[in-house]
PDB file of all heavy atoms in Angstrom:
ATOM      1  N   ASP A 389      92.317  96.122 112.022  1.00 88.00           N
ATOM      2  CA  ASP A 389      91.709  97.029 113.002  1.00 88.00           C
ATOM      3  C   ASP A 389      92.010  96.518 114.408  1.00 88.00           C
ATOM      4  O   ASP A 389      91.120  96.313 115.225  1.00 88.00           O
ATOM      5  CB  ASP A 389      90.203  97.115 112.748  1.00 88.00           C
ATOM      6  CG  ASP A 389      89.551  98.260 113.504  1.00 88.00           C
ATOM      7  OD1 ASP A 389      90.280  99.069 114.102  1.00 88.00           O
ATOM      8  OD2 ASP A 389      88.304  98.331 113.495  1.00 88.00           O
ATOM      9  N   ILE A 390      93.295  96.312 114.669  1.00 84.00           N
ATOM     10  CA  ILE A 390      93.721  95.721 115.932  1.00 84.00           C
ATOM     11  C   ILE A 390      93.543  96.685 117.097  1.00 84.00           C
ATOM     12  O   ILE A 390      93.096  96.299 118.168  1.00 84.00           O
ATOM     13  CB  ILE A 390      95.197  95.283 115.834  1.00 84.00           C
ATOM     14  CG1 ILE A 390      95.330  94.070 114.921  1.00 84.00           C
ATOM     15  CG2 ILE A 390      95.751  94.953 117.216  1.00 84.00           C
ATOM     16  CD1 ILE A 390      94.710  92.813 115.453  1.00 84.00           C
ATOM     17  N   VAL A 391      93.877  97.937 116.879  1.00 79.00           N
ATOM     18  CA  VAL A 391      93.930  98.895 117.991  1.00 79.00           C
ATOM     19  C   VAL A 391      92.542  99.118 118.591  1.00 79.00           C
ATOM     20  O   VAL A 391      92.342  98.976 119.793  1.00 79.00           O
ATOM     21  CB  VAL A 391      94.533 100.227 117.517  1.00 79.00           C
ATOM     22  CG1 VAL A 391      94.486 101.265 118.634  1.00 79.00           C
ATOM     23  CG2 VAL A 391      95.967 100.028 117.053  1.00 79.00           C
ATOM     24  N   ALA A 392      91.567  99.441 117.764  1.00 80.00           N
ATOM     25  CA  ALA A 392      90.242  99.800 118.274  1.00 80.00           C
ATOM     26  C   ALA A 392      89.321  98.598 118.456  1.00 80.00           C
ATOM     27  O   ALA A 392      88.589  98.506 119.434  1.00 80.00           O
ATOM     28  CB  ALA A 392      89.583 100.805 117.338  1.00 80.00           C
ATOM     29  N   ALA A 393      89.340  97.687 117.520  1.00 83.00           N
ATOM     30  CA  ALA A 393      88.363  96.599 117.527  1.00 83.00           C
ATOM     31  C   ALA A 393      88.966  95.222 117.773  1.00 83.00           C
ATOM     32  O   ALA A 393      88.229  94.251 117.875  1.00 83.00           O
ATOM     33  CB  ALA A 393      87.606  96.578 116.193  1.00 83.00           C
ATOM     34  N   GLY A 394      90.285  95.129 117.826  1.00 85.00           N
ATOM     35  CA  GLY A 394      90.908  93.824 118.048  1.00 85.00           C
ATOM     36  C   GLY A 394      90.738  92.876 116.893  1.00 85.00           C
ATOM     37  O   GLY A 394      90.811  91.654 117.068  1.00 85.00           O
ATOM     38  N   LYS A 395      90.497  93.400 115.698  1.00 90.00           N
ATOM     39  CA  LYS A 395      90.283  92.547 114.530  1.00 90.00           C
ATOM     40  C   LYS A 395      91.509  92.558 113.626  1.00 90.00           C
ATOM     41  O   LYS A 395      91.976  93.617 113.232  1.00 90.00           O
ATOM     42  CB  LYS A 395      89.097  93.060 113.700  1.00 90.00           C
ATOM     43  CG  LYS A 395      87.761  93.000 114.374  1.00 90.00           C
ATOM     44  CD  LYS A 395      86.693  93.548 113.443  1.00 90.00           C
ATOM     45  CE  LYS A 395      85.331  93.592 114.103  1.00 90.00           C
ATOM     46  NZ  LYS A 395      84.320  94.183 113.202  1.00 90.00           N
ATOM     47  N   PRO A 396      91.997  91.386 113.252  1.00 92.00           N
ATOM     48  CA  PRO A 396      93.051  91.325 112.243  1.00 92.00           C
ATOM     49  C   PRO A 396      92.390  91.412 110.877  1.00 92.00           C
ATOM     50  O   PRO A 396      91.231  91.091 110.747  1.00 92.00           O
ATOM     51  CB  PRO A 396      93.641  89.933 112.452  1.00 92.00           C
ATOM     52  CG  PRO A 396      92.452  89.116 112.849  1.00 92.00           C
ATOM     53  CD  PRO A 396      91.559  90.040 113.650  1.00 92.00           C
ATOM     54  N   MET A 397      93.019  91.850 109.880  1.00 95.00           N
ATOM     55  CA  MET A 397      92.649  91.786 108.468  1.00 95.00           C
ATOM     56  C   MET A 397      91.148  91.642 108.208  1.00 95.00           C
ATOM     57  O   MET A 397      90.667  90.609 107.737  1.00 95.00           O
ATOM     58  CB  MET A 397      93.452  90.670 107.800  1.00 95.00           C
ATOM     59  CG  MET A 397      94.941  90.981 107.922  1.00 95.00           C
ATOM     60  SD  MET A 397      96.071  89.830 107.147  1.00 95.00           S
ATOM     61  CE  MET A 397      95.933  88.402 108.202  1.00 95.00           C
ATOM     62  N   ASP A 398      90.413  92.736 108.519  1.00 95.00           N
ATOM     63  CA  ASP A 398      88.958  92.647 108.438  1.00 95.00           C
ATOM     64  C   ASP A 398      88.380  93.135 107.120  1.00 95.00           C
ATOM     65  O   ASP A 398      87.240  92.828 106.803  1.00 95.00           O
ATOM     66  CB  ASP A 398      88.296  93.366 109.606  1.00 95.00           C
ATOM     67  CG  ASP A 398      88.581  94.855 109.605  1.00 95.00           C
ATOM     68  OD1 ASP A 398      89.586  95.283 108.989  1.00 95.00           O
ATOM     69  OD2 ASP A 398      87.805  95.606 110.233  1.00 95.00           O
ATOM     70  N   VAL A 399      89.139  93.913 106.361  1.00 97.00           N
ATOM     71  CA  VAL A 399      88.696  94.356 105.041  1.00 97.00           C
ATOM     72  C   VAL A 399      89.852  94.141 104.071  1.00 97.00           C
ATOM     73  O   VAL A 399      90.979  94.527 104.375  1.00 97.00           O
ATOM     74  CB  VAL A 399      88.275  95.841 105.040  1.00 97.00           C
ATOM     75  CG1 VAL A 399      87.785  96.249 103.653  1.00 97.00           C
ATOM     76  CG2 VAL A 399      87.191  96.093 106.086  1.00 97.00           C
ATOM     77  N   TRP A 400      89.528  93.548 102.920  1.00 98.00           N
ATOM     78  CA  TRP A 400      90.568  93.148 101.972  1.00 98.00           C
ATOM     79  C   TRP A 400      90.382  93.838 100.629  1.00 98.00           C
ATOM     80  O   TRP A 400      89.253  94.111 100.204  1.00 98.00           O
ATOM     81  CB  TRP A 400      90.507  91.641 101.748  1.00 98.00           C
ATOM     82  CG  TRP A 400      90.901  90.819 102.932  1.00 98.00           C
ATOM     83  CD1 TRP A 400      90.247  90.740 104.133  1.00 98.00           C
ATOM     84  CD2 TRP A 400      92.013  89.932 103.031  1.00 98.00           C
ATOM     85  NE1 TRP A 400      90.902  89.871 104.978  1.00 98.00           N
ATOM     86  CE2 TRP A 400      91.984  89.358 104.326  1.00 98.00           C
ATOM     87  CE3 TRP A 400      93.037  89.554 102.166  1.00 98.00           C
ATOM     88  CZ2 TRP A 400      92.950  88.440 104.766  1.00 98.00           C
ATOM     89  CZ3 TRP A 400      93.987  88.641 102.589  1.00 98.00           C
ATOM     90  CH2 TRP A 400      93.935  88.088 103.879  1.00 98.00           C
ATOM     91  N   GLY A 401      91.503  94.074  99.954  1.00 98.00           N
ATOM     92  CA  GLY A 401      91.444  94.461  98.561  1.00 98.00           C
ATOM     93  C   GLY A 401      91.184  93.233  97.702  1.00 98.00           C
ATOM     94  O   GLY A 401      91.217  92.099  98.195  1.00 98.00           O
ATOM     95  N   LYS A 402      90.919  93.461  96.410  1.00 98.00           N
ATOM     96  CA  LYS A 402      90.600  92.355  95.513  1.00 98.00           C
ATOM     97  C   LYS A 402      91.835  91.598  95.021  1.00 98.00           C
ATOM     98  O   LYS A 402      91.706  90.520  94.434  1.00 98.00           O
ATOM     99  CB  LYS A 402      89.806  92.863  94.314  1.00 98.00           C
ATOM    100  CG  LYS A 402      88.418  93.377  94.678  1.00 98.00           C
ATOM    101  CD  LYS A 402      87.624  93.735  93.445  1.00 98.00           C
ATOM    102  CE  LYS A 402      86.282  94.358  93.773  1.00 98.00           C
ATOM    103  NZ  LYS A 402      85.447  93.503  94.631  1.00 98.00           N
ATOM    104  N   GLY A 403      93.003  92.157  95.257  1.00 98.00           N
ATOM    105  CA  GLY A 403      94.235  91.480  94.880  1.00 98.00           C
ATOM    106  C   GLY A 403      94.868  92.041  93.618  1.00 98.00           C
ATOM    107  O   GLY A 403      94.170  92.544  92.730  1.00 98.00           O
ATOM    108  N   THR A 404      96.180  91.977  93.555  1.00 98.00           N
ATOM    109  CA  THR A 404      96.956  92.344  92.366  1.00 98.00           C
ATOM    110  C   THR A 404      97.739  91.116  91.926  1.00 98.00           C
ATOM    111  O   THR A 404      98.504  90.554  92.715  1.00 98.00           O
ATOM    112  CB  THR A 404      97.941  93.491  92.673  1.00 98.00           C
ATOM    113  OG1 THR A 404      97.207  94.671  92.995  1.00 98.00           O
ATOM    114  CG2 THR A 404      98.845  93.757  91.468  1.00 98.00           C
TER     115      THR A 404
END
Side-chain angles (χ1 to χ4, degrees):
Chain A
D389 193 8
I390 289 292
V391 175
K395 295 179 184 177
M397 299 182 289
D398 63 338
V399 182
W400 292 65
K402 293 186 185 303
T404 295

